[in-house]
Amino acid sequence: MTLPLSSVAASSQPVVADQGSRTRALAAVLRDAPQADAEVLLAGLARMLDAHIGRGHDDVVSNRRIRDQLDNIELLMALEIERAGVRHTSVPAVARAA
């Protein structure tokens, strides 16, 4: 899931601000995720940490496991963002754009 930046300026300051907004929007979606979905997200994060801890950044197998988990989390987050967009009209446009 890639949440698009609404505009990319030459300066990094607007990008940083936009990333902060995007992070806050994603955190809000995570905070409101049903318990069952939150358990799946936490399990995915735990598997990524397990694949990363004690391995180098150039470990191809570890990196593949991490990317696979990120893909799974990305899909679940997209579903949560969609559900939040349907349930709450106050969800930021950044979160609904996914």
Side-chain angles (χ1 to χ4, degrees):
M1 161 187 62
T2 301
L3 296 177
L5 295 174
S6 59
S7 64
V8 178
S11 167
S12 63
Q13 190 65 10
V15 173
V16 170
D18 201 34
Q19 287 174 337
S21 296
R22 195 167 56 176
T23 299
R24 284 188 298 279
L26 288 171
V29 169
L30 284 170
R31 210 174 288 112
D32 291 341
Q35 184 67 31
D37 291 347
E39 294 293 330
V40 172
L41 286 166
L42 288 173
L45 290 171
R47 283 189 289 274
M48 282 193 309
L49 282 171
D50 182 55
H52 177 70
I53 293 173
R55 292 168 180 89
H57 288 275
D58 59 347
D59 184 319
V60 175
V61 174
S62 174
N63 289 338
R64 186 176 327 119
R65 286 179 54 207
I66 291 169
R67 281 191 307 275
D68 288 346
Q69 284 306 308
L70 283 171
D71 287 345
N72 292 337
I73 290 170
E74 182 177 14
L75 177 60
L76 186 56
M77 286 297 298
L79 294 171
E80 284 303 317
I81 289 168
E82 181 66 24
R83 183 184 347 225
V86 171
R87 279 192 312 212
H88 305 291
T89 57
S90 63
V91 172
V94 172
R96 285 195 306 266

